[in-house]
Amino acid sequence: MELKEMIYHRKSFRSYDSNQTEINTLRKIEDFIKNAKRLYPQEKLSWEIIGPEKIKCILPWRAPHNIAIYAERNTKALVNLGFVFQQVDLYMQSIGLGTCWLGMGKIANTAGEEFTDHSGMKCVMMIAFGSSEEAYRSDIAQFNRKSLAEISDTEDTRLECARLAPSAVNSQPWYFIHDGKVIHTYCMDRFFRKQVLGDMNKMDVGISLAHIYLENEESFNYFTAEDAPEQKGYLYIGSFEI
Ligand SMILES: Cc1cc2nc3c(=O)[nH]c(=O)nc-3n(C[C@H](O)[C@H](O)[C@H](O)COP(=O)(O)O)c2cc1C
């Protein structure tokens, strides 16, 4: 299945079998990560694939593999992380694997210390993956999401792909405002005082932008608008034309 079709069938997997993913497939995933489109190419991003034995985590389930993702904690870096790794997430599901973004209950090594990469950048997210007996979604009715009217100033069906995006605790923090051909993108700031959830909400907005990019690969043009209107209770993230 193409990545843009996977948007309508993907889900979070929370049970895995113990089969190890083949080395060849792991290499393909690493290649895909290297080549995935960046929203902010200047933002640093690094990752590694690690086994469950390296992670201390309160969740009751484990996957055979995890991508540990390292980034700085500024808005652009976090939006970029969501944008890049949602392409990866859809890619892994498109080749038959189960995946789940993993931001809670996390993210320490077995000594209880935060993971850092070789340059000292912290692990701010993981994605669990592996083979699973569970099925993908067969119907959009199986998504539990806000309506188009709740996430946008006009009910623009081109934003259906963004509406269906996954988000931390299904918080769906994205909001879109139309201005002629331009669509401005915002992030709800409800959780910003709680650093971890606030950070994840910025990744969530990057995730929803990845869905818009994949649905409009040829025409997607993303930029920072100087004249984006303020929206109370929201942080302006960026603008695009499709
Ligand atoms: C940034 C982010 C962090 C998440 N963290 C967790 C987590 O720690 N544990 C978990 O079980 N699910 C986690 N999820 C999965 C969400 O709960 C899930 O995407 C959301 O409830 C929507 O369900 P769906 O992915 O099946 O469509 C996370 C999702 C995102 C995008």
Side-chain angles (χ1 to χ4, degrees), residues 1 6 8-16 93 96-99 131-139 142-143:
M1 206 180 278
M6 208 63 228
Y8 305 93
H9 296 283
R10 60 147 301 282
K11 66 170 196 180
S12 296
F13 285 72
R14 297 190 179 87
S15 78
Y16 295 87
Q93 296 215 4
L97 297 170
T99 69
S131 62
S132 172
E133 296 288 308
E134 289 183 35
Y136 299 104
R137 289 181 169 120
S138 54
D139 196 310
Q142 294 164 354
F143 285 82

Side-chain angles (χ1 to χ4, degrees), residues 10-14 59 61 86 93 99-106 125-126 137 142-145 164-171 174 199-201 203-204 207:
R10 60 147 301 282
K11 66 170 196 180
S12 296
F13 285 72
R14 297 190 179 87
L59 291 172
W61 52 270
Q86 183 59 10
Q93 296 215 4
T99 69
C100 189
W101 285 84
L102 211 55
M104 321 276 184
K106 52 162 200 179
M125 182 53 60
M126 288 201 185
R137 289 181 169 120
Q142 294 164 354
F143 285 82
N144 169 22
R145 295 291 190 274
L164 298 178
S167 54
V169 291
N170 207 20
S171 50
W174 39 76
D199 283 357
M200 285 200 272
N201 278 169
M203 297 178 207
D204 296 336
I207 289 172

Side-chain angles (χ1 to χ4, degrees), residues 62-117:
R62 290 283 182 281
H65 309 279
N66 300 272
I67 308 175
I69 309 169
Y70 307 92
E72 286 174 349
R73 286 203 149 102
N74 66 65
T75 300
K76 283 184 178 158
L78 297 167
V79 173
N80 189 52
L81 184 165
F83 185 83
V84 171
F85 278 91
Q86 183 59 10
Q87 295 167 66
V88 178
D89 188 84
L90 289 167
Y91 171 69
M92 292 194 288
Q93 296 215 4
S94 78
I95 58 171
L97 297 170
T99 69
C100 189
W101 285 84
L102 211 55
M104 321 276 184
K106 52 162 200 179
I107 287 176
N109 64 23
T110 42
E113 297 155 344
E114 267 186 300
F115 282 105
T116 52
D117 75 354

